[in-house]
Amino acid sequence: MNMNLIPLDSPYWETYTGAYGSVLPEIKILMGEAPISPQSKLRRLDMEEKDDYRIAFDNLCEGLSHQMTCYDALFLALPYLVKLYQLRKASFTWRVEILSQAGICLATDLPEVNGENPEPMPEEIMSGYNAAVLQLKDLAKEFILENLEQIGLLEDSARNYLITGLIAIMGDRLLANVLTMSGWDEDECYLGCPDCDFCDEESSLTDRKIEGQLVPAHAKPWDGESFDDPLCWLTGILDRFGAEAEKDFITCCYGAYTCPECGKKAFMLDFAKCYLFGE
């Protein structure tokens, strides 16, 4: 499938916008189609020193995924993130950033949140977006297999952010959304029951296991090559890094949960989805 890039002079950029309006100025800077000008950070809590090019990149991604909301601009911008990856492929750091943030953006595009769009995007936009999704998946597989050792050397927060993005890119956007909202913190993974009014904002994953409400999933050993089973490759990678807490979190997310109020049994992600999206 050919990845269509919407021309930078298209009126679509003013029609389909991000959280702060058109993302075209950032796209032009990243594609080398506009001079790099002084940039103000949209992420106010980001204290890291960055050049204006990197700030433009961060601002673009913030505009596409602010508060984990899906914005129309994502469907135009994702092919350009794939192109940026190709332009920056020589840099491990840039590949980490692009895969991390592109994945987080993808994690906002959920039917549980967005439902059926009453005014579908033009086909030329969606064909490019869908092709970009497929290309990102191929790039992510290649990146993982070629860079496992370097990924393991990342700081925990950067590694978890990358893995969250990779999860979304590889197809499990709901899990990536839950991980983003919880920050991989077992005390911040809130659950709601689809069948009754039960809502749990206090118990940790450990509490739920001890009380018998949560039964973690059992992961098969990873062969180091296949990505068909997300539980398998995720736990396999985390096991290689010695990331036991993160591995435990993933097996819990794919585990079974029983509502202590009404007795409903379902995947824990179904309860997390109910809390986050009311379904």
Side-chain angles (χ1 to χ4, degrees):
M1 183 183 293
N2 293 327
M3 189 181 71
N4 179 49
L5 292 168
I6 298 301
L8 298 181
D9 60 357
S10 169
Y12 285 146
W13 293 102
E14 298 302 323
T15 302
Y16 302 111
T17 58
Y20 306 94
S22 175
V23 299
L24 183 58
E26 288 81 17
I27 292 287
K28 284 185 174 180
I29 289 174
L30 296 172
M31 292 297 106
E33 297 294 330
I36 300 173
S37 56
Q39 302 287 302
S40 298
K41 291 182 179 180
L42 292 176
R43 294 173 176 170
R44 305 294 183 183
L45 298 180
D46 183 4
M47 298 294 106
E48 182 182 347
E49 288 291 331
K50 298 176 180 178
D51 61 30
D52 289 315
Y53 187 89
R54 172 60 190 279
I55 295 174
F57 171 75
D58 287 353
N59 287 350
L60 169 64
C61 297
E62 175 66 11
L64 297 176
S65 63
H66 179 62
Q67 296 185 343
M68 291 304 290
T69 300
C70 184
Y71 295 94
D72 290 342
L74 171 63
F75 301 100
L76 288 81
L78 193 70
Y80 282 95
L81 287 176
V82 174
K83 183 175 180 180
L84 182 64
Y85 183 94
Q86 295 164 341
L87 293 172
R88 296 283 173 171
K89 199 169 183 179
S91 168
F92 174 78
T93 299
W94 265 105
R95 283 182 291 164
V96 168
E97 288 297 325
I98 295 168
L99 291 174
S100 299
Q101 302 230 40
I104 298 301
C105 291
L106 272 178
T108 69
D109 183 16
L110 290 169
E112 292 86 352
V113 183
N114 305 322
E116 291 294 329
N117 191 339
E119 297 183 7
M121 288 278 181
E123 175 58 27
E124 61 188 296
I125 294 177
M126 291 309 300
S127 64
Y129 175 73
N130 291 328
V133 170
L134 294 176
Q135 286 201 31
L136 269 177
K137 189 171 184 178
D138 288 339
L139 292 171
K141 290 178 182 179
E142 178 185 70
F143 177 80
I144 293 169
L145 295 177
E146 293 180 355
N147 298 279
L148 264 179
E149 184 174 344
Q150 283 183 276
I151 294 171
L153 296 177
L154 294 171
E155 293 184 1
D156 289 354
S157 59
R159 185 194 64 212
N160 289 349
Y161 196 65
L162 170 63
I163 290 175
T164 303
L166 292 171
I167 289 169
I169 290 170
M170 301 296 271
D172 198 335
R173 299 180 189 179
L174 175 59
L175 175 58
N177 194 297
V178 169
L179 292 172
T180 301
M181 299 300 288
S182 68
W184 291 75
D185 186 341
E186 71 163 28
D187 295 321
E188 300 291 332
C189 193
Y190 305 147
L191 307 180
C193 182
D195 285 5
C196 71
D197 294 331
F198 172 74
C199 180
D200 186 355
E201 297 180 338
E202 298 180 355
S203 302
S204 68
L205 298 183
T206 299
D207 293 338
R208 292 165 184 151
K209 285 188 291 183
I210 292 174
E211 293 170 5
Q213 298 166 7
L214 173 62
V215 179
H218 176 70
K220 298 177 182 178
W222 185 45
D223 62 8
E225 296 181 1
S226 173
F227 293 91
D228 294 334
D229 182 343
L231 175 62
C232 178
W233 72 261
L234 274 170
T235 55
I237 286 174
L238 293 169
D239 191 52
R240 293 191 183 194
F241 301 156
E244 290 301 319
E246 289 85 350
K247 179 181 174 182
D248 184 61
F249 201 114
I250 294 297
T251 59
C252 285
C253 286
Y254 281 118
Y257 185 77
T258 301
C259 175
E261 294 290 335
C262 71
K264 178 179 176 61
K265 296 182 180 180
F267 289 115
M268 195 185 101
L269 282 175
D270 290 332
F271 286 87
K273 178 173 70 174
C274 180
Y275 177 86
L276 290 172
F277 312 126
E279 295 190 9

